[in-house]
Amino acid sequence: MTTTTTGSYNIKDIIQVLHPIRYATFHNNSHGTDIHKKKPQRFSTLLLEHGEQELQDWSVIASSRKRSSSSSSSSSSRGTKQRREDGATNVSLSLSSRKSSSSRWMREDSEKSINKGGSYVKMTTNAQERDQSDKMKRIKGRLYLCSKSIVFEPEDMSRGIIRVPFEKMTVPPSSTGSAGLDDASSSSSSFLKNEDSITTTTTATTATSHSERCITLETKRYIVMKKNNKIAPYETYDKLSLFKFTFQHSSTQSFVQLFEKIYNVPTGQLQNVIEPMCDQPFDASNFRHLNETPMTVNLRAFLLGPFPLVKKAGCVIVTDQRLYFQPFSGVYSEMMASRALSWCLEDVVSFARRYHGLKDEALEIFFNLGPSVLLAFEGCRNREEVLRLLPSVRRNNDDVVVEGEEEGMSIPVFCHTDRSFLSLVVDAWINGQIDNFDYLLALNSAAGRSLFDLSRYPVFPWVLSDYESAKLDISSTNAFETMAGKQGKDGSLMTKVFRDLTKPIGALNEERLESFKARWNNMQDMGDAFLYGTHYSAPGYCLYYLVRTMPEQMLCLQNGKYDAPDRLFHSIEQCYSSLLINPADIKESIPQFYDPKSGVDILLNLRGLQLGVTQNGIVIDDVKLPNWAKSPKDFLKKNRKALESDYCAKYLPSWIDLIFGVKARGEMAFNYDNLFHPNSYLCPKDLDQMVTDTEKMQAELHATEFGICPDVLFSDFHPRKNDRRIDHSALIAPDDGRSFIQNSDLNVDKRKSLSSVEASQLLKSIQPKLNVAARNENVMQESPDDDNKDNKTAMPNNSDIIEINPNDFSIGNDSALDTSTSNILLSGSGVSTKRTDTKTYDDENDSPLPSITPSKSDEVNNRFEKVDGWTFKAIACKQIHGGEVSGCHLLNGECAYITTTSLDGGLMVHTLPTSGINERRTFSSTAVKSRYQGRNPSETSMPLQFHTFRSHQSSDPLSCLAIINDENRGYIAFAGGHDDVILAYGIKSACGLASVFSHRDAVSGLVLIEVPFVSDGESTHIMLSSSWDATVKLWNVTVSDGETVRIAKEPFAELYEAETPIHCVDALYIPEVGIIVAAGGAGGSLMVWLWNVDGGKTVLFQQDTRPGHESCCCLKWSNNAEIILYAGYQDGRISSFSFKYDGMYPVGKLNLGFPANCLEILPSCQLIFTGCADGSLRIVATTSNGHFDDGQPLVWNSVNGPSSPGITSLSVIPEKDQEMGFTLATGATDGSIAVFTIKKL
């Protein structure tokens, strides 16, 4: 669109439409006109599962009652298997059979349980009795049929909104005519087949006639939300209940017909069924004036708002006077008049192209008053059609005269994502017409970021670094005196007051940066090496800051709970400290931190939210401010003053280069320690190149949940203020309808970049090896400082461009490791590059920036030791994690896989190549033969190297690991973390497969067992998870070919008798008996349960916490001649217990002298392998009945290196061709992994 300008206008006032205060004060769109006004409702799609859609609502009268087990069993005719499942459900979930559970939960008040951030807070018995949702008598309200659940919203706001998920219904909705609750129909319907959901246990309903007005449904779980209209974690009630809904103004036919269409549809196909239902024509009665002329046809669209995560389907039509959005008002629209929102085109101030996920198909329109409107269309073409119909100029109204604008004058209507607008705001900032705050808002909008989109929320820098002093002095004189003469070796700024804006957050701490670089070096064999696995802006990070203003959004993303209190935003000082030391925390700030008008709400708990209590007993309420801040507004004013300081005026261009400029992509991002996960650079062109819907869905999910980099706005280094000599054609990236995304094709000018997909295709067919050590030679020249004004910013000349010898390329795309869809950076080693020292606006002393120097090949001990008739032979050792290794697992195959998890949040898979051995061998036989063949084993040789095969980064520490395989040699890693999430990761498919919010605290242990019985009759495995919340949960898991995994959303059983946090868990299946589960915890506590095949539970053994006793930190079952449990303790003990059907009996004890951190058992040879805190590996011989051998354990010291780091995880594989030969992998506290063989001579 071409804009014209007449007269003068104030650019600062044009940018004011981006200020957060316009969104904070206008909770309802003042421009949108709802033709059919109705009473405000509490229900919104935020109360549903993320992505779930509302389909239709009815006015009803609700009744309910608790259903007894006997009436439930007689309510319908079920098969033997169904009855057994119902029996299991009653045993585990009904209140009458959970006396011990009740006594445990009664120790905490229900409100206190909510305060601790529980997911779908489980109520105490008293709380369940106090809840009246299952005792309703003719309560008026509205019934919503949604894509995955049914929701009832009572008119009485003191009552909670009730949500019943489809998968928890034991008897789906059935028509009962005028019958009461006791006469619920139980006959089977022809359309209800076996449900796809894991947890549904029966199906029953009948077709209805027009005369029937009632439906009933039976459920074993319902969820209550917003009692007394208060926002709080959702409450879940596990009790068999019956609900009846009497339709006031219609029959049940429409409900039943719609329910029939969606009930049995698999989740992946549900959207295809729903989309045609939402395709409704625009109702002409919605036009505001009779003389309006439609300029478009009906355009299917989504209204994204009025708050983040709220999404409403509908259609858009533009006339010569107004823009209309008609929301989808239900599948059966004839039941009520269609409603439409409309906006006058004369009120449009500006607009901007926006993204919808990774699709470039959304449009944000800004008006002279109130917040903007964000619409997502079906494709870019429809968006552009609407955009062209928006006015190019506007006239100032008589009612609203903006300062600097004359009444009646013509003012251009700008598109924020067009090059002309960007040129305008750059000039305005350089000339001092707008301040830093407005300039950053404009750049964010130009880069595709919006206050409506949490995945692309405006990003602002952390400016200050002093949150401890009693007084903050940001005056230019004192601040710059503090910095004078205090520069790091690399020329970086060292000041206590201000943060170094020349570096990204992840590079502020040199020690942490070195760990990132070490990981980068270890990923060189991968096609997608990166420094930071997390991003500086993502939905979770934005809601971390905004939880007090957007609590419902956090509850929506967190499965109905707040985050753990210790991880909530509660202190400015603690937050900034985490940014400097936490390897998974590199988030930048948001605009509200610099806006005294709108930022107060993010610091004060004005809604009185119950956010919980930290482990230190701190109640989470208002955010704790620095000592130098007198009040929240004072904090925001000083923050804003710092943003507008001389320091920021000088160094803000360097930060802009990192986020929006030349340092944000490719080789320059690599040079400036600013390289993120490849998926954060994905763009619409990448999505178009993907073949399968699954691939597209996973890419969008990763990008939108873990962070997306903004569009690149500048193709040259950003100028400083008062720099009058600007070449806009060289500075601003090319304009192709939005700011063009630069990528890392090194053979082209930076102003002519390929899309990331095109670059990926090029790199997959031609794979250069880039010498990392030479990365700081011959890079582009930047203008060094303000004093050298003549030395303008320039693009590289011929001598600056990297020359790559064609002989250094390997042709082909058959690399087994290159599975990424977008290679952002060339990786590897072998091609030499020549560059000159880098200089930037940041370089005060013309010193080069620090470089990532590749670590030397890690030296392996090459040990070959003999101890008491055993040999120890080292294979490889390397530090691959930045934190303690929490899980380690060896896998055999054509190539040996070593999968590890770490407290640094990383999940990594490495390989040791088979070196040309074609026949299948065991891990150790292949590796050792290729290494020592034809040599004396004691001779030193080049060690085998770990090759990084897969890598996944979590935002929180990963604390446990379990591995299973499918029937087609696919491998799935299950990892539990401190964020209480369990993730299933496909090792060959290199992507997350499934996840579930599991506990109220960190997951401490995982076990997966394949059993012939499962509670739902469909699953292949049962997963057991333990947690610091003192519970063990049992989950149904389905694994199929192609590394396909499905985890039930809720556990089918919970073991809750433990009194202390659980540190470890192990389980064993006994045919025709059940599963025996052992859990060890703090203070030496030990619990053993038997879960029967018929669903019953028995506590076999309970060893209570004893004062002075160390924690039980590892457990293993052995099933040889007898079933034996071995437990390792932090005081160095190993104890054995014998399983009998009437209990557990102690057998023996052994003192190792050092804490036993982990152990593995091979029952066939009656050996226990133990990793100890002193860094040693000990082998203990046992008898078949659990007694320990009288001899001393075999000991190998310093297994993971001369520094002898403590061993924290262990994996053992027996040799295929030798009875007493084993290959072991050990993980240690320093993040290292060692692989070695042990054989008995």
Side-chain angles (χ1 to χ4, degrees), residues 81 395 570 696 875 891 1198:
K81 182 177 180 181
R395 288 194 172 274
H570 64 275
K696 293 179 180 180
I875 296 178
L891 292 170
S1198 304

Side-chain angles (χ1 to χ4, degrees), residues 359-395:
K359 300 181 182 70
D360 184 13
E361 59 187 22
L363 176 66
E364 186 169 12
I365 305 174
F366 302 90
F367 302 93
N368 56 5
L369 292 175
S372 61
V373 172
L374 182 58
L375 297 166
F377 296 88
E378 281 193 334
C380 178
R381 180 175 299 178
N382 289 351
R383 190 265 312 276
E384 293 299 315
E385 181 181 353
V386 173
L387 185 148
R388 285 192 296 270
L389 295 173
L390 297 179
S392 60
V393 294
R394 65 184 177 92
R395 288 194 172 274

